[in-house]
Amino acid sequence: MKMIKKILTILIFSLLLASCNRLNTYTKMIYTMDTIVNVKLEVKNEATANVHFTEIEAIYEKYNDLADDYMSHSGVKSIYDINKSRSEIVDDELIELLNYAISINEETSGYYEPLIGNISHLWKDYVLNTDNPNVDFVLQSLDKELNNIKESTIVIEGNKVSIIGNANIDLGGIAKGFATQKVYEYLKKNNIRYYLIDAGSSNILLGEKTNNKEFNVGIKKMGSGYFEIIKAKNKAIVSSSYREQTKLIDGKRYTHLIDAKTGKTIDNYFSLTLIGDDSAKMDAYSTALYAMSVEEIKEFLNNKNIDVIIYGEDELIYSSLKD
């Protein structure tokens, strides 16, 4: 009888211990950086989840405000403020982001260009975001703006940022990935292993699942459905695509993707997807690589431990996973 009671006590204790250690799934949608960020965490309780949701949202909002080139934000100096005044004292986080953007510009031989602000605004304001597009005006302005980029420099002295010349800064091709990498660093610091961060489908951060299975991430077609499903965990997956932002004018497609060398919008590939370990790099690289040929992309990614999948609207163009 004593033995039975002892066994029952052990079983009850084991069940209580298992219950205490069990993780639950919590989700939250955050609207930030002009997109919806879906956050999924597996943690012990709702209170813990809410603490992390608050911190994650704060990270995205911080970089949303800092990298904004359309308006100023209370309490911080943004890219808009630097472009307007030509010189500002800014937060450490923006200094880090700008230094990173400059390093990517050098690494990609100018295929990623942080001083593309004026050209980016021309395409958005006069073509993509208007009911009365004026493509000719934009094309006629490109030589001048490309020359402004060549003659301009971002100068960083401590926390002081200055633009020498007439070009403007635009960090739209790097800011969301940089913020997502900061979210990863936060999750790692807090020993959170089980998560999924989906920042508008273009930036996806995968942790682990409690059942040890991999996540399924689809590469979307132009209409409905997927080209293929990627199985992965503990990875960053970033895509550049004109699927969501495109306009047809007189039979020609104009997109939000710009070749920094020519200033023109491009539709080289329907989608270019990178799979690696660093969201900031994946975001910056995807912006730069989109303007390259397939052979240039292969050469750039050689020995970088990054996989690439490139699709046209109807077919696979190249996949390093199939080499």
Side-chain angles (χ1 to χ4, degrees), residues 14 40 50 60 70 76 100 104 115 133 158 164 168 170 198 201 203 221 246 257 260 273-274 281 300:
S14 298
K40 179 179 179 181
N50 286 334
Y60 278 113
Y70 271 91
V76 297
Y100 191 75
I104 294 295
L115 283 168
I164 308 302
N168 276 350
D170 178 353
D198 182 353
S201 298
N203 283 258
K221 294 182 177 180
T246 184
L257 299 157
T273 301
L274 298 178
K281 279 190 176 182
F300 180 84

Side-chain angles (χ1 to χ4, degrees), residues 117-130:
N118 288 337
I119 293 176
S120 175
H121 278 229
L122 280 170
W123 284 113
K124 290 176 183 176
D125 297 344
Y126 289 93
V127 179
L128 297 174
N129 298 337
T130 178

Side-chain angles (χ1 to χ4, degrees), residues 160-177:
K160 182 181 179 181
V161 179
S162 303
I163 304 174
I164 308 302
N166 296 316
N168 276 350
I169 300 171
D170 178 353
L171 301 181
I174 194 173
K176 187 164 62 173

Side-chain angles (χ1 to χ4, degrees), residues 64-66 68 71-78 81:
N64 174 75
D65 294 354
L66 292 175
D68 197 336
M71 62 183 293
S72 186
H73 293 267
S74 177
V76 297
K77 293 296 183 180
S78 67
D81 297 310

Side-chain angles (χ1 to χ4, degrees), residues 65-131:
D65 294 354
L66 292 175
D68 197 336
D69 59 327
Y70 271 91
M71 62 183 293
S72 186
H73 293 267
S74 177
V76 297
K77 293 296 183 180
S78 67
I79 292 299
Y80 171 85
D81 297 310
I82 298 171
N83 288 338
K84 184 178 180 180
S85 68
R86 314 311 287 173
S87 185
E88 288 286 356
I89 304 297
V90 303
D91 290 353
D92 291 343
E93 291 91 342
L94 186 50
I95 293 295
E96 182 186 17
L97 178 55
L98 283 166
N99 276 321
Y100 191 75
I102 293 168
S103 72
I104 294 295
N105 171 260
E106 295 169 354
E107 184 182 359
T108 61
S109 301
Y111 275 105
Y112 169 78
E113 178 54 71
L115 283 168
I116 205 167
N118 288 337
I119 293 176
S120 175
H121 278 229
L122 280 170
W123 284 113
K124 290 176 183 176
D125 297 344
Y126 289 93
V127 179
L128 297 174
N129 298 337
T130 178
D131 294 328

Side-chain angles (χ1 to χ4, degrees), residues 178-214:
F178 196 87
T180 301
Q181 185 63 19
K182 291 299 180 181
V183 170
Y184 166 76
E185 293 171 8
Y186 168 81
L187 294 170
K188 185 175 181 181
K189 180 180 178 181
N190 286 275
N191 299 312
I192 301 171
R193 295 170 52 192
Y194 308 106
Y195 57 84
L196 166 63
I197 312 292
D198 182 353
S201 298
S202 60
N203 283 258
I204 296 175
L205 186 63
L206 304 174
E208 300 175 26
K209 287 185 173 184
T210 51
N211 59 13
N212 205 35
K213 292 184 178 180
E214 294 177 307

Side-chain angles (χ1 to χ4, degrees), residues 43-318:
V43 292
K44 287 185 178 181
N45 53 60
E46 186 174 7
T48 300
N50 286 334
V51 168
H52 296 313
F53 288 148
T54 299
E55 292 297 326
I56 290 169
E57 184 170 11
I59 292 170
Y60 278 113
E61 280 298 294
K62 179 73 171 180
Y63 286 96
N64 174 75
D65 294 354
L66 292 175
D68 197 336
D69 59 327
Y70 271 91
M71 62 183 293
S72 186
H73 293 267
S74 177
V76 297
K77 293 296 183 180
S78 67
I79 292 299
Y80 171 85
D81 297 310
I82 298 171
N83 288 338
K84 184 178 180 180
S85 68
R86 314 311 287 173
S87 185
E88 288 286 356
I89 304 297
V90 303
D91 290 353
D92 291 343
E93 291 91 342
L94 186 50
I95 293 295
E96 182 186 17
L97 178 55
L98 283 166
N99 276 321
Y100 191 75
I102 293 168
S103 72
I104 294 295
N105 171 260
E106 295 169 354
E107 184 182 359
T108 61
S109 301
Y111 275 105
Y112 169 78
E113 178 54 71
L115 283 168
I116 205 167
N118 288 337
I119 293 176
S120 175
H121 278 229
L122 280 170
W123 284 113
K124 290 176 183 176
D125 297 344
Y126 289 93
V127 179
L128 297 174
N129 298 337
T130 178
D131 294 328
N132 299 296
N134 190 341
V135 175
D136 288 341
F137 173 74
V138 177
L139 294 176
Q140 291 164 9
S141 304
L142 290 183
D143 285 344
K144 174 186 175 182
E145 294 303 340
L146 288 169
N147 191 59
N148 282 337
I149 291 174
K150 289 179 183 178
E151 295 182 351
S152 298
T153 307
I154 301 171
V155 178
I156 300 175
E157 302 169 302
N159 281 71
K160 182 181 179 181
V161 179
S162 303
I163 304 174
I164 308 302
N166 296 316
N168 276 350
I169 300 171
D170 178 353
L171 301 181
I174 194 173
K176 187 164 62 173
F178 196 87
T180 301
Q181 185 63 19
K182 291 299 180 181
V183 170
Y184 166 76
E185 293 171 8
Y186 168 81
L187 294 170
K188 185 175 181 181
K189 180 180 178 181
N190 286 275
N191 299 312
I192 301 171
R193 295 170 52 192
Y194 308 106
Y195 57 84
L196 166 63
I197 312 292
D198 182 353
S201 298
S202 60
N203 283 258
I204 296 175
L205 186 63
L206 304 174
E208 300 175 26
K209 287 185 173 184
T210 51
N211 59 13
N212 205 35
K213 292 184 178 180
E214 294 177 307
F215 289 94
N216 294 319
V217 178
I219 299 180
K220 293 181 179 179
K221 294 182 177 180
M222 188 64 169
S224 60
Y226 300 92
F227 287 113
E228 66 175 281
I229 302 297
I230 303 167
K231 292 184 176 293
K233 61 181 179 179
N234 294 320
K235 290 290 181 182
I237 301 177
V238 176
S239 295
S240 285
S241 173
Y242 60 72
R243 183 175 186 272
E244 304 294 342
Q245 300 183 61
T246 184
K247 179 173 282 192
L248 288 173
I249 302 173
D250 297 328
K252 181 172 175 56
R253 186 189 307 279
Y254 297 92
T255 76
H256 69 293
L257 299 157
I258 299 172
D259 183 343
K261 305 284 188 178
T262 67
K264 296 179 180 179
T265 74
I266 46 177
D267 59 352
N268 292 356
Y269 315 107
F270 173 68
S271 69
L272 184 151
T273 301
L274 298 178
I275 307 168
D277 299 321
D278 188 309
S279 288
K281 279 190 176 182
M282 298 305 101
D283 200 15
Y285 286 169
S286 71
T287 300
L289 298 184
Y290 193 89
M292 298 183 188
S293 68
V294 173
E295 291 306 313
E296 287 174 316
I297 291 170
K298 290 180 183 179
E299 182 178 355
F300 180 84
L301 293 178
N302 187 40
N303 297 322
K304 282 187 169 63
N305 196 30
I306 297 170
D307 283 304
V308 59
I309 304 171
I310 305 172
Y311 274 96
E313 283 197 17
D314 301 313
E315 62 182 359
L316 177 68
I317 295 175
Y318 172 73

Side-chain angles (χ1 to χ4, degrees), residues 21-40:
N21 292 329
R22 185 175 65 245
L23 300 181
N24 299 294
T25 301
Y26 301 93
T27 61
K28 183 172 183 178
M29 288 195 306
I30 302 167
Y31 183 77
T32 185
M33 306 191 90
D34 293 325
T35 193
I36 294 175
V37 179
N38 288 289
V39 182
K40 179 179 179 181

